[in-house]
Each structure stands twice: as structure tokens, then as C-alpha cells.
Amino acid sequence: MWPLTRQGVLQRSSLSIFVISIFFAFLYDRYVRSTTMSKEKPPNVLIIVADDLGFSDTSPYGGEIDTPNLQKLADEGIRMTGFHTAASCSPTRAMLLSGTDSHIAGLGCMAEKIRKAPQIFKGKPGYEGYLNYRVAALGEILQDAGYFTFMSGKWHLGLEKTLGPHARGFSKVLSFLPGGGNHFNHEPQLYGLNEKPAAIFKGDGIWMKDGEFINGSTDLPKDFYSSNTFMDHFLDILKERTADERTQPFCGYLPFTAPHWPLQAPQEVIKKYRGKYDDGPIALRDSRLQSLIEKGLVPPDVEPASLHMLNTKPWEEMSDEEKRKSSRAMEVYAAMVDLIDVNIGRVRTYLEETGELDNTFIAFMSDNGAEGQLLEALPVLAGYTVEDIVKKYYDNSLDNIGNYNSFVWYGPQWAGAATAPSRGAKSHSTEGGIHCPCIVRYPPSLRQGGLVTGAFTTVMDIVPTVLDLAGLKHPSPIFRGREVMPVRGKSWRPILEHPEDQSVQIYKDEDVVGWEQLGIAAVRVGDWKALFLPPPKGPGRWELYDLSKDLGEVHDLAESRPEKLKEMLQHYETYFQETGMFDSFTMYQEALKQRRAEKGGIGNNRDVSYVSTLWQSLTFLQERFKSLLKGNWGEE
């Protein structure tokens, strides 16, 4: 105790002042910390899309293709094994950027199909063939929230300036507007052409930089290769941000055109895979399935669907020359995937160097299942098919495959190897068309990395997830002076915060999710799925599967569980009504039939029989659906 003297009183006073000062300093520090945290920059957003990538192509999903950067992303993040998209590219992209169903967002039918029978879709909301203004696009929402928004890559959501990425919220842009083209920017079939080509090919007026069209022949780098050039521009945008722009959170959208056909890549990368696929697609499927099982991505007892064939010649019946060309196409495909990964590594390195990586929500995905169609008969110019163009302008000899002047695709069997254990491939409503890889990395929410979640998720979830993590609300019902629809997707926050808990589900057992493109349809509730594939893709009747036991959709339960099928078709009717669909399939087939008749195209029994089969299948479907809703299920 200090004595009651002047000096003692001063000593006690000094101690009190010191203690009080420490206390207030503590409070001030807490205040500053809380204020700083409340003003922390919202998460950056990086969405990367591969075009037609198969489920098991990359190493995180059991593939043999060299993809160390995606593997690292998976090791630090989570892999989704229940992620679903639309069955084809532009509907998926509409869902990705809107957070709702493609029939609401404008891609109820792909523009390429609409152009064949425009009278059917005219005036039908949701069937505009582009990302419509009934939805608020992710770029627009984040742009209004103070984000620096940019994209480099494929758009496929509208070919006009008012429909391009700059008009829909991306401030800085290098974009290829159509659905696909030569990866070396070589289009000999268009040189000196007067007519407007099909939109799958390049030309003037379909490339945009920021808000203006550029000339694809003169305004792009001479050493153009799609994946490299898109990443070059993407990184240039990031590096050239102003001081003010660097204070903003960013939203970068990076949709590659690879590995979409034509399959092309630099020869030095192709050589890495020389001989790797000489055993054929069945051997590849078997090895990937084993790897999927070992990684815990599919159950050990999974029963895979039969290999996707489309009436192609089995591997063992091919000549040696046919095998060499087929395996070479797969080698080129692998090189394209390899280069996607290399370029993902480039943006990762940049974000690490700038200290922005760990505050960036990264999602990597494919837009649909692997492409397994046979493209020979696809019309691209008046009177010319892909096969005609290839024969006239390209060199598909073995040693030239993969070069700028080659034009190949790998066909249904290699696609089937990539989608296994699922059935079918791109453009199918079976799991092979809509079950896709998705990797997410975001350390602020992820409590543990390197895990796998089997929760059912969809591409519609990305918008609500980003908005949730950014602390933003969706702007519906009014945005920028127009009415917009709400999202149908769900936030992934519960999954990100508890990735180890396999019981976490963001879709409830009663939530209805559907798919449809010109009669190719499906509906899912919980683990139950009903699907319809019109001929020639399927039998032209509704099928029923329990995906908790049958990932390959091998055992159709439609006949043994009629009451369940009835229930699922009632759910499909709900989906039909909620999304504003109409029966485009029936009208479309009739329009094509009339078009062929007018051109003299239906001149043989095979064509008539095919259209007749389609019509009979749909009539059966309509009658059966009505009877189901009335509770009158028949015996057959």
C-alpha cells in the first residue's frame, strides 16, 4: 500500500490511468478489427467451364489425362459427384448465369434448333434462343453490387450486340459468340463466302471485344489457340486493372471452347498421349471405372450401363487403320484437356502472386456430358454437311490429325468411356448427358479440403451460392427497371461448411428438378428419376430408375413400380407448368416433316417410318400421361 501522501496519491493515479488506457486501447483494437472485418472485400468469383468434358476425363475424377492443377484444386477443395447440368451447352450456360431453369431463361430450345422451325417458337416466352431479359444475369447483379466483371471465352447465349456478354454485365470481354469453331482460328470453308454460315463456325460478326464486334480473321493473334488465347486475355484483364478496379472484388467467367470438336491441339502436347489409347474405348472405360471406385467416387458394386455405341462398329471389328485413327482422335482430345489444366495453372499462379487466391470462390465444371454424336450429316452450309466440308477443305490423314487443317471428332464409344458408369452422353436426359464433374475451392467457408460430396446439386445453384457468400440478395422481382424471375437453385453454403457430413442435402425430398429439350426429358425427386428418350435415342416411353441403387440406369422399374411412375409424371407436370413449357416436340417434328416434304426430302420409307415412329411415340406418351393423372394405369 502506498502511504497517504501526495506522492502515493500520484502513484495510484498513474496506475489507474495506465490501466484505463490499456482498457480503452483494447476496446479500440476490437472496434478497428470489427470495422475492418465488416469492410473486408467480398469474395472474388472465378467460374471455369470446360466444353463437353466427360465425367472421368480428369485425374480428380479417375482419369489418366495429366491434370495436376485440377487435382490440386480438388485436394484443397471438394469434388461433387452429384452435380447436374442440362443435356447440352447453351441451356446449361443459361442456367449457370441465371440460377433458374433454361425454359425460363430463354433456352427452352437451342437457337440452332429454333432456326429450323422458327414459326413454332415465335412469341413463346423462354424459347427466344438467347439469355432473355426475364432473368437477372450473374454479371449484371455483381456489376451493380460493385464487382469488376469480365469474361474470356465462349458465350453461346446470343449473337447480337444487345445479347452479348458486355450487354449482360461483363465489363471487359473477349468472347466467341457461337457454339464451336476451329481451335486454331482456321476456317477455309468461309473464305470468300457470301452466305451466312451456320453459327457453329467462325467468321466476321461473331467475335466481340468488350461491347464491340471484332473481325475474327484480322483482330485475333496470329498464334491463336483457343485455350491459350482465352487465358492470355483473361490474365491481361486482371493484370491491367486500374488502382480503383483492384479495390473491387472481381467476377471472372472463363468458359473454354475445348474439348469441343473439332479435336485440335499442338502436336507436342498430343505426343504425350501417343499409344495411351491403343487398347480401345472398352479398356479405357474399365480402367476409369476401377479408378472411380478406388477414389470412392462411385460405389464398389456399381453396375455400369452398356457402352454408348450408336450403331458404330465395335473396336474389335475395326481394321488396324480405323483403330489408329480412332485412338489418335482420343490422343488429341486428351491433349486438349491437358491444355485446359495448364491454363488453369496459369491463373492460379497469378492469384497466388497477388494474394487473391484464398479469397476467391472457384468453381470448375463441364457444361454437359461427353459429346458422342456422329457429326457427318450435320448441315453447316446450304447443301453441305460436315462430311462434305471436311472432304473439300481438311486433311484427316493419320499424321495430320489434330493440326489446324484437320477436322475430327471421337464418336460415341470414347464418349461412353468418359461418362461411365452412366448411360448415354451429351444431348441425352440419362445421367451420361447431365451428370458432370464439379470442383469447388473456397477456403473461408470450406472447413476441410480434399473431400467428396455426393449431395445432389445443379448448375442453377451457382448464382444463389455466389450471392450468399457475397452477402447479396437476388434482386427479383424488379431489376434494372424490369421484372425478373427468382432463382430455382439452392446455395451450397451448407455443403461447403460441412463437407465431411454426407447427410447434408440442399434439395429436399419433395423438391422437383426437371430437364427437357425437344422431348428429351427427365424429372428427379430425391433419388427417383423418370426419363423419356424419343427414338432414335431411346424407346419412346417413360422409364423409371432408383438412382440410389442404379447409377447406370440399367434396371427400368416402370412396369414393376407403376404407382411410382405415376407419381413422378405428376411431378413432371408440375415442372412443365412452373417453367412455362409447351409441347414443342410434336410441333417440331411435324414442321421438319413438312419441310422435308416441301424440299422433296422425304422420298423413302425409312424417313417416313422414322417420323411416323416419333409421332406414334408421342401420341402414346400423351395418352398414357393423361391416363396416369386420372389414376387409370393400364396393364401393358
Side-chain angles (χ1 to χ4, degrees):
M1 293 291 294
W2 285 293
L4 291 175
T5 62
R6 181 180 180 85
Q7 185 178 2
V9 171
L10 287 174
Q11 288 175 322
R12 286 195 299 270
S13 298
S14 298
L15 180 62
S16 299
I17 292 170
F18 176 74
V19 172
I20 291 171
S21 298
I22 293 295
F23 177 69
F24 277 105
F26 172 75
L27 291 180
Y28 179 74
D29 180 70
R30 292 293 299 272
Y31 168 76
V32 170
R33 285 174 178 270
S34 64
T35 303
T36 302
M37 289 179 67
S38 67
K39 293 183 178 180
E40 279 183 354
K41 185 189 292 187
N44 302 312
V45 178
L46 173 55
I47 299 172
I48 307 171
V49 181
D51 198 349
D52 296 352
L53 182 76
F55 183 76
S56 64
D57 283 332
T58 63
S59 59
Y61 283 87
E64 71 296 328
I65 301 175
D66 189 21
T67 49
N69 292 297
L70 284 172
Q71 186 63 59
K72 191 171 184 180
L73 201 67
D75 292 341
E76 298 169 346
I78 57 170
R79 283 166 290 174
M80 294 185 171
T81 59
F83 179 72
H84 288 74
T85 65
S88 49
C89 40
S90 55
T92 290
R93 292 159 202 269
M95 296 162 73
L96 165 63
L97 295 181
S98 70
T100 192
D101 189 83
S102 61
H103 297 84
I104 295 171
L107 273 299
C109 181
M110 294 179 68
E112 293 86 344
K113 301 288 187 182
I114 291 174
R115 281 193 287 271
K116 294 181 180 180
Q119 70 280 6
I120 294 174
F121 305 97
K122 187 176 181 179
K124 296 284 197 307
Y127 291 84
E128 295 87 355
Y130 56 81
L131 185 66
N132 64 30
Y133 280 86
R134 298 170 67 211
V135 298
L138 179 62
E140 296 174 310
I141 299 171
L142 295 184
Q143 192 176 59
D144 284 9
Y147 272 70
F148 175 68
T149 58
F150 61 104
M151 77 157 286
S152 182
K154 171 177 168 177
W155 182 239
H156 206 189
L157 292 172
L159 295 174
E160 298 177 15
K161 182 183 292 189
T162 56
L163 306 175
H166 190 269
R168 299 314 302 268
F170 293 101
S171 300
K172 297 289 185 180
V173 171
L174 176 66
S175 184
F176 174 51
L177 300 183
N182 189 293
H183 293 277
F184 289 101
N185 196 30
H186 173 71
E187 303 291 355
Q189 72 279 2
L190 301 185
Y191 302 155
L193 186 70
N194 292 322
E195 68 165 298
K196 186 176 181 179
I200 60 168
F201 288 105
K202 299 181 184 177
D204 295 344
I206 52 180
W207 279 91
M208 292 193 77
K209 185 172 183 181
D210 299 339
E212 301 298 328
F213 287 109
I214 62 173
N215 188 308
S217 301
T218 60
D219 296 335
L220 294 172
K222 297 301 180 184
D223 61 348
F224 181 96
Y225 180 74
S226 62
S227 298
N228 297 341
T229 301
F230 288 137
M231 182 55 76
D232 288 344
H233 196 79
F234 195 84
L235 289 174
D236 286 345
I237 293 173
L238 282 169
K239 292 173 182 178
E240 293 169 6
R241 285 175 290 173
T242 65
D244 286 343
E245 288 168 345
R246 289 177 185 273
T247 66
Q248 299 173 257
F250 69 74
C251 173
Y253 179 40
L254 182 60
F256 291 101
T257 51
H260 192 291
W261 54 265
L263 303 183
Q264 297 166 323
Q267 285 294 332
E268 64 269 20
V269 186
I270 298 172
K271 288 177 182 177
K272 283 178 60 176
Y273 297 94
R274 192 61 48 85
K276 188 174 284 289
Y277 302 104
D278 287 354
D279 291 336
I282 292 179
L284 180 64
R285 183 194 68 161
D286 292 346
S287 66
R288 286 193 180 179
L289 269 175
Q290 185 59 39
S291 183
L292 285 167
I293 292 170
E294 291 172 356
K295 290 177 178 289
L297 301 174
V298 299
D301 60 348
V302 65
E303 183 177 357
S306 299
L307 189 68
H308 193 56
M309 296 291 291
L310 292 185
N311 296 317
T312 54
K313 186 185 295 185
W315 181 260
E316 61 272 13
E317 296 179 12
M318 290 183 183
S319 68
D320 289 344
E321 178 66 14
E322 288 172 330
K323 288 180 179 179
R324 281 193 292 269
K325 282 196 168 185
S326 180
S327 60
R328 181 63 50 82
M330 183 61 209
E331 291 166 9
V332 179
Y333 178 92
M336 296 173 78
V337 177
D338 185 308
L339 281 173
I340 288 176
D341 186 83
V342 168
N343 281 289
I344 290 173
R346 293 173 64 197
V347 71
R348 180 197 174 96
T349 297
Y350 173 81
L351 294 177
E352 286 178 327
E353 291 173 350
T354 60
E356 296 173 288
L357 179 64
D358 285 347
N359 192 41
T360 301
F361 171 82
I362 301 176
F364 169 83
M365 56 171 279
S366 177
D367 61 345
N368 44 245
E371 171 64 272
Q373 295 191 70
L374 299 171
L375 306 175
E376 292 90 337
L378 182 69
V380 290
L381 296 173
Y384 291 92
T385 65
V386 167
E387 187 174 30
D388 297 329
I389 296 296
V390 169
K391 287 180 179 178
K392 185 172 183 179
Y393 295 105
Y394 292 92
D395 174 9
N396 283 348
S397 60
L398 179 64
D399 290 338
N400 198 60
I401 288 176
N403 288 337
Y404 75 98
N405 60 339
S406 68
F407 196 110
V408 300
W409 49 95
Y410 69 1
Q413 296 185 45
W414 294 110
T419 60
S422 299
R423 168 185 162 200
K426 177 182 176 180
S427 81
H428 290 65
S429 55
T430 52
E431 291 294 285
I434 61 178
H435 181 213
C436 294
C438 182
I439 302 171
V440 176
R441 183 190 191 276
Y442 185 55
S445 289
L446 269 172
R447 297 180 180 178
Q448 187 176 354
L451 297 180
V452 176
T453 174
F456 174 76
T457 56
T458 81
V459 68
M460 296 185 293
D461 303 334
I462 290 177
V463 166
T465 300
V466 168
L467 297 184
D468 186 6
L469 296 177
L472 300 172
K473 291 184 178 180
H474 190 269
S476 63
I478 302 296
F479 176 67
R480 293 188 175 182
R482 68 181 191 265
E483 292 187 10
V484 296
M485 302 297 287
V487 297
R488 289 174 70 90
K490 313 280 188 180
S491 173
W492 290 342
R493 183 185 286 273
I495 296 173
L496 297 178
E497 293 181 346
H498 301 282
E500 77 292 343
D501 187 351
Q502 292 298 313
S503 68
V504 173
Q505 298 288 336
I506 60 171
Y507 283 85
K508 301 176 182 177
D509 289 341
E510 63 271 19
D511 285 334
V512 177
V513 178
W515 295 263
E516 192 275 340
Q517 285 279 307
L518 287 177
I520 299 169
V523 62
R524 177 164 174 165
V525 179
D527 288 322
W528 285 96
K529 178 182 174 185
L531 66 90
F532 183 87
L533 290 175
K537 283 184 167 64
R541 59 174 176 78
W542 281 97
E543 304 169 51
L544 178 68
Y545 298 97
D546 179 359
L547 296 182
S548 68
K549 303 174 182 177
D550 186 14
L551 289 178
E553 294 170 324
V554 176
H555 302 287
D556 182 7
L557 303 177
E559 291 188 6
S560 61
R561 296 291 302 274
E563 77 293 342
K564 191 64 182 182
L565 180 58
K566 174 183 175 181
E567 176 190 322
M568 294 301 292
L569 292 184
Q570 289 173 331
H571 290 313
Y572 185 77
E573 176 65 15
T574 298
Y575 168 68
F576 189 101
Q577 297 297 332
E578 288 180 353
T579 56
M581 290 166 53
F582 76 103
D583 184 14
S584 58
F585 174 73
T586 306
M587 299 171 67
Y588 190 76
Q589 295 302 329
E590 282 299 296
L592 293 186
K593 178 180 177 182
Q594 182 178 353
R595 182 180 174 184
R596 284 193 290 266
E598 290 172 353
K599 292 183 177 181
I602 299 184
N604 60 65
N605 292 332
R606 180 182 176 185
D607 288 338
V608 174
S609 175
Y610 171 64
V611 175
S612 175
T613 300
L614 289 171
W615 178 254
Q616 291 171 10
S617 298
L618 207 39
T619 301
F620 167 80
L621 165 65
Q622 291 171 324
E623 292 176 353
R624 177 55 55 86
F625 185 69
K626 290 176 183 177
S627 67
L628 281 169
L629 292 181
K630 293 177 182 178
N632 299 322
W633 178 263
E635 293 297 322
E636 61 182 36

